[in-house]
Amino acid sequence: MHNMLTRTEDPRVKRTRQLLMQAFMELLEQKKNVSSISVQDITAYATVNRSTFYAHFEDKFAFLESWMREKFKEKLQDELPNAALSDIGSLRTLILIVYDFLFCTRPYLTLSDRQYEPLFQVAMQKELYDLLLTWLSEQAEPTVSRETVETAALIASWGIFGSAVEWSRHPQSKSAEDMARDVLVVVAAGLAPVLG
């Protein structure tokens, strides 16, 4: 059973995962909240059996984390050139993408879905961290240690993400563009010692 998890590049594995993700998206459009959708609902809608679901995902939480990462990756690929950071300008774009993504997903998180919020947050922060780490590893001054680069990516990813979470709770308080500008100033200043 677990050997399927290691073969995520297998086209059949990818297809089944896509089928489950698509079923969940369509159910979400109908039901408008995450917690009301069960594993049984997803598998019935996708016309796969429950054992197939559990061959791909440990549980509903693992599925939801994977779903959130997939949706966020799709948005990055759509809106960030080459789905990668290249300079401070693309970092501003990334910040705006995070703000927009949280603004668009918040309506699906009702009070009963609060248990899933930390899960979604961790999923997004991981993606942000990976992006920042790749970029900083390529751009860092040769004298900067790997540990410093990793720490900078960690702090920047949580800084961007944390500010976006706070803003998404009260989006009317300030525009996303204004927030992104202010966050960029702080994040860029924090990354300056790494980038030289």
Side-chain angles (χ1 to χ4, degrees):
M1 182 171 99
H2 289 290
N3 66 346
M4 279 191 86
L5 294 173
T6 58
R7 296 200 323 266
T8 50
E9 293 311 304
D10 182 321
R12 288 167 304 169
V13 172
K14 274 187 161 174
R15 204 162 41 248
T16 304
R17 289 172 76 95
Q18 282 306 115
L19 206 58
L20 292 165
M21 298 275 177
Q22 190 58 42
F24 177 72
M25 277 303 295
E26 288 173 24
L27 286 164
L28 192 56
E29 284 302 319
Q30 291 171 21
K31 299 194 177 194
K32 298 294 183 200
N33 75 72
V34 174
S35 56
S36 66
I37 302 168
S38 67
V39 170
Q40 180 65 48
D41 293 335
I42 297 166
T43 54
Y45 204 95
T47 62
V48 299
N49 59 41
R50 283 170 64 90
S51 62
T52 301
F53 178 94
Y54 289 111
H56 290 265
F57 303 100
E58 193 180 332
D59 54 23
K60 185 180 173 182
F61 287 94
F63 172 81
L64 290 171
E65 183 180 348
S66 183
W67 170 74
M68 184 58 100
R69 286 191 84 162
E70 282 296 310
K71 296 298 345 156
F72 188 46
K73 268 185 190 168
E74 280 173 25
K75 189 163 178 69
L76 290 171
Q77 282 161 359
D78 289 345
E79 298 182 28
L80 192 64
N82 305 317
L85 291 169
S86 55
D87 53 23
I88 293 297
S90 62
L91 183 58
R92 181 185 176 278
T93 302
L94 175 64
I95 294 167
L96 277 168
I97 289 168
V98 174
Y99 275 62
D100 187 51
F101 188 80
L102 281 174
F103 182 76
C104 293
T105 54
R106 184 154 281 281
Y108 294 109
L109 292 175
T110 61
L111 277 172
S112 58
D113 297 326
R114 285 287 151 81
Q115 60 176 319
Y116 300 115
E117 263 193 302
L119 187 83
F120 292 151
Q121 290 173 3
V122 167
M124 282 185 70
Q125 184 272 329
K126 278 182 189 167
E127 285 301 317
L128 276 177
Y129 174 79
D130 289 348
L131 255 181
L132 287 158
L133 183 63
T134 301
W135 178 54
L136 293 173
S137 299
E138 291 164 359
Q139 301 297 319
E141 289 289 303
T143 53
V144 177
S145 72
R146 177 73 183 173
E147 288 79 10
T148 301
V149 171
E150 288 171 355
T151 302
L154 187 69
I155 292 168
S157 62
W158 277 113
I160 292 166
F161 186 70
S163 68
V165 169
E166 285 302 312
W167 173 82
S168 72
R169 290 176 180 151
H170 311 284
Q172 65 282 3
S173 60
K174 198 173 187 181
S175 75
E177 286 76 14
D178 286 349
M179 280 298 298
R181 188 191 59 233
D182 293 348
V183 170
L184 180 64
V185 168
V186 176
V187 171
L191 296 179
V194 176
L195 298 170

